Amino acid sequence: MTEAILSSVTTVAEKRGNGFWSLAWQRFRDDRVGLVSLVIVAAFLVVVLLSATGLVAGNWNQEVAIHDAPPDLWGLLKPAAPAVVENAMHQEQVTPTAESIEEWKNIEAMLSATVVDPLADTLQALGADHETVAVVKEKRASLPFGGDRWGRDVLSKTIKGSQTSIIVGLSAALLATLLGTVLGALAGYYGGRIDDALNWFYNVFSAIPYLLLILAVAAVLQQRGVTTVILILGLTGWSGVFRLIRAEYIKHRGREYVQAAHAFGVPNRRILFFHILPNVFHVVLVNISILAVGFIKAEVILSYLGFGVKVDEVSWGSMLNDAQGELILGRWWELVAAGGAMALLVTAFSLLTDAMRDAMDPKIQKAS
């Protein structure tokens, strides 16, 4: 009898453990491509966290090398030293004569006697209080991933640019998903005039080409920066989420559990966000990852066109914008670094999204 009771309790526990999220995680673990993609995305997020705290790429804007320093991949490559073009005046060595030295001394004495410096006393007082020490750092001839035209490390710029692009992509995706989910829930649940008004608003946004809509909003805001890019992408990218969530709410508002909640007098706002939303949250989660990929690419386009981050900030788009002029001169390393990092993240994120969609699709779970 005791064994039968324990067996029944174990069976019930196993059934409770095999819920939606537990089954989704089991399916996701069986997908090796999804796991590898998850590791890559997690590695990028760790790098972003380290970059945001200043532990990595904190000195990305310092000129640590000569201009356009070639890459050496930590000694694996042996790049040729860049040609240094000197001015003809500096190349020509002129030996001063005694007459020229005496002439310059006379000119200097005449100028010191006639010209009075109004800041001489102030500078002398400041020099007496503070001793100025000039420190000249020796610049490196090469870097692991090369340097840009100002001598900044391309690897540090790529890491710092990943911080900007990923933060913009994720933040804009959360904002767009929030707007699309709320508007889609209201339209799908209430229907009627609310649904008609929100559908008209959706059709207006969908009728305008997306790139032109982004550029129009950017021109209206007339500011550059990370916050502006997040607002531009988040306020224009909610339409796809709205369409999907509206369809899900139309499907779920006639289900038995919603009718039972109505019978018990549960308020509509609680039914909206505490009864129906948990059953469609897998759609929301997948759309966040899809939008994040699209917004990372959109941020690159905006920064490349000059509507993105500020001049003193860096992103993958601004790096590609800087690299287009360097590529003509044969300096390819900045383009390869930014483009390679973006391609790796976008590919991993896309594969992760496909794995999440397969793991969370109820139809696939029922089929298996």
Side-chain angles (χ1 to χ4, degrees):
M1 185 67 179
T2 305
E3 294 178 356
I5 295 175
L6 291 175
S7 177
S8 62
V9 170
T10 304
T11 304
V12 172
E14 290 178 353
K15 290 182 179 180
R16 288 182 178 179
N18 291 332
F20 175 80
W21 296 107
S22 178
L23 290 174
W25 172 244
Q26 291 177 10
R27 292 178 59 85
F28 184 80
R29 286 188 305 177
D30 296 335
D31 192 343
R32 295 183 179 179
V33 177
L35 289 177
V36 174
S37 302
L38 178 62
V39 171
I40 295 175
V41 173
F44 270 96
L45 294 178
V46 171
V47 170
V48 168
L49 180 61
L50 294 176
S51 176
T53 55
L55 298 177
V56 176
N59 58 344
W60 68 271
N61 56 351
Q62 294 183 5
E63 300 179 4
V64 297
I66 61 176
H67 301 316
D68 296 313
D72 59 2
L73 292 180
W74 292 278
L76 297 179
L77 298 178
K78 294 181 179 180
V84 179
V85 180
E86 297 287 347
N87 195 330
M89 292 180 61
H90 296 283
Q91 289 182 353
E92 183 180 359
Q93 297 181 356
V94 180
T95 304
T97 61
E99 291 81 4
S100 62
I101 294 176
E102 187 66 26
E103 184 178 358
W104 278 110
K105 286 182 179 180
N106 295 333
I107 295 174
E108 184 179 3
M110 182 179 61
L111 291 175
S112 61
T114 57
V115 179
V116 178
D117 188 2
L119 300 177
D121 297 335
T122 305
L123 294 176
Q124 186 177 3
L126 291 175
D129 295 336
H130 302 282
E131 182 180 359
T132 304
V133 179
V135 179
V136 179
K137 294 183 179 180
E138 183 180 358
K139 295 185 177 181
R140 300 173 59 180
S142 61
L143 291 169
F145 277 74
D148 62 2
R149 52 185 170 181
W150 294 282
R152 298 179 297 191
D153 190 2
V154 170
L155 179 59
S156 298
K157 285 184 64 177
T158 305
I159 295 174
K160 197 66 177 180
S162 66
Q163 174 191 340
T164 303
S165 298
I166 293 175
I167 288 178
V168 167
L170 292 179
S171 301
L174 291 175
L175 178 59
T177 304
L178 178 62
L179 290 175
T181 300
V182 172
L183 297 179
L186 294 176
Y189 181 77
Y190 289 105
R193 294 182 178 179
I194 297 178
D195 188 21
D196 293 339
L198 292 177
N199 270 317
W200 175 85
F201 193 52
Y202 160 76
N203 290 328
V204 170
F205 267 78
S206 300
I208 304 174
Y210 184 62
L211 184 58
L212 293 180
L213 182 62
I214 290 177
L215 296 179
V217 176
V220 170
L221 294 178
Q222 294 183 352
Q223 290 183 354
R224 297 177 61 182
V226 175
T227 304
T228 304
V229 177
I230 292 174
L231 291 176
I232 292 172
L233 298 178
L235 295 176
T236 57
W238 56 270
S239 56
V241 183
F242 168 82
R243 184 180 66 252
L244 293 175
I245 297 300
R246 174 181 174 273
E248 291 292 330
Y249 269 77
I250 291 175
K251 181 175 64 177
H252 279 266
R253 69 183 180 185
R255 298 286 175 86
E256 290 80 4
Y257 72 93
V258 177
Q259 296 178 1
H262 279 297
F264 280 101
V266 179
N268 287 327
R269 63 179 180 274
R270 187 169 182 85
I271 296 176
L272 274 170
F273 301 109
F274 291 94
H275 288 74
I276 301 179
L277 184 59
N279 291 285
V280 301
F281 189 73
H282 61 283
V283 179
V284 177
L285 189 61
V286 171
N287 274 275
I288 290 176
S289 59
I290 294 175
L291 288 176
V293 173
F295 288 158
I296 288 174
K297 295 187 289 186
E299 184 277 328
V300 171
I301 294 174
L302 282 176
S303 297
Y304 181 80
L305 295 177
F307 291 95
V309 297
K310 298 179 181 178
V311 179
D312 57 344
E313 297 174 341
V314 63
S315 69
W316 288 337
S318 63
M319 290 182 65
L320 293 177
N321 190 9
D322 294 338
Q324 64 176 347
E326 299 294 317
L327 189 61
I328 302 176
L329 303 175
R331 295 152 188 166
W332 47 265
W333 39 89
E334 187 170 4
L335 176 65
V336 171
M342 183 182 68
L344 178 61
L345 177 63
V346 170
T347 303
F349 229 132
S350 300
L351 294 176
L352 177 62
T353 301
D354 293 339
M356 290 172 58
R357 184 189 297 113
D358 295 340
M360 295 181 182
D361 194 346
K363 295 180 181 179
I364 298 178
Q365 291 181 1
K366 289 181 180 179
S368 60

